[in-house]
Amino acid sequence: MTLFDVLRAAADGRPPEPDGSVDVLPQHGRAAGVVAFSAHFVVSADVDHGWVRDQLPPGDYNAPLGARFLVALADRIGADVGSIDAVLVAAATGGPPDDTLEEISAREHPRVVRALRYRDEVRVWRTLDGAAHVLVGRGLAGRWETAFEVEPAARGRGLGRRLAAAAAELVPPGEQVWAQVAPGNAASLRAVLAAGYRPVCAEVLLPPARA
């Protein structure tokens, strides 16, 4: 079973057994990752299962997302350590995109620059007034992921929720669209929940180290 299969099953209400296991699967995508379900973890990186086992105290359900293990893993594979994110999912509809959005080819926006470290097939849209951007691309395990950014002057008007909902229209029907949100980013978390996304797991991504 691949990590994509695990994520898809979890999104469909069939998460891994909460048995304290730590699975090790090959990396698929630009970034490695550690994915946490309830009392079950998946390390998606090109490392040996025995090495992972030796780094983690038995029965410690905090260790796989703890700093000690993440730094050891990053050093092992030559990666940087990202933040711990809540991961949510919504069903893609593939409908016509919101007519207040226009697709752009520019890649200089900070949100896009960051996305290109983690995702392939990145496409970007912005609102007609330039107040916000939303993007989709293939990320961890080849899943479709979204991210959005609203300029400070345009916040507090529900635009984040609209962008999160619009992302579901930008992904082919029958697929799922995933959003990673830092737990402390309450505004974005409220936006994706209001747009119909459901929490599935938590994760830390480890992109290739910067030169």
Side-chain angles (χ1 to χ4, degrees):
M1 179 174 286
T2 67
L3 178 56
F4 184 88
D5 295 328
V6 174
L7 290 165
R8 181 103 191 186
D12 290 339
R14 295 177 285 110
E17 289 294 323
D19 55 9
S21 297
V22 179
D23 300 325
V24 181
L25 298 174
Q27 178 176 332
H28 179 188
R30 289 181 177 267
V34 180
V35 184
F37 302 93
S38 295
H40 197 112
F41 302 86
V42 180
V43 176
S44 174
D46 295 326
V47 291
D48 181 72
H49 192 283
W51 178 86
V52 172
R53 183 188 61 241
D54 291 344
Q55 309 305 309
L56 298 171
D60 186 344
Y61 292 171
N62 294 316
L65 289 186
R68 188 180 299 276
F69 174 69
L70 293 173
V71 170
L73 177 60
D75 289 345
R76 185 84 171 182
I77 64 175
D80 290 332
V81 181
S83 63
I84 297 177
D85 288 329
V87 184
L88 305 93
V89 69
T93 62
D98 188 322
D99 60 9
T100 65
L101 298 175
E102 59 180 359
E103 188 169 6
I104 61 173
S105 59
R107 291 294 187 264
E108 65 272 11
H109 189 279
R111 177 64 65 174
V112 181
V113 172
R114 182 183 186 282
L116 293 172
R117 289 194 74 199
Y118 293 88
R119 303 180 180 110
D120 295 305
E121 301 179 39
V122 174
R123 299 176 66 187
V124 186
W125 288 259
R126 69 181 175 193
T127 55
L128 299 180
D129 61 3
H133 292 69
V134 60
L135 60 88
V136 297
R138 294 276 195 178
L140 184 70
R143 71 190 180 191
W144 286 104
E145 298 175 353
T146 187
F148 56 89
E149 184 82 23
V150 179
E151 296 299 322
R155 293 174 186 169
R157 307 173 190 170
L159 186 52
R161 177 190 59 76
R162 285 172 47 203
L163 294 174
E169 301 170 345
L170 304 174
V171 171
E175 298 281 356
Q176 296 164 328
V177 57
W178 298 78
Q180 303 118 307
V181 184
N185 189 346
S188 289
L189 193 55
R190 288 194 298 268
V192 295
L193 289 170
Y197 289 68
R198 297 173 287 105
V200 175
C201 55
E203 70 186 23
V204 174
L205 298 181
L206 296 92
R210 296 181 187 273

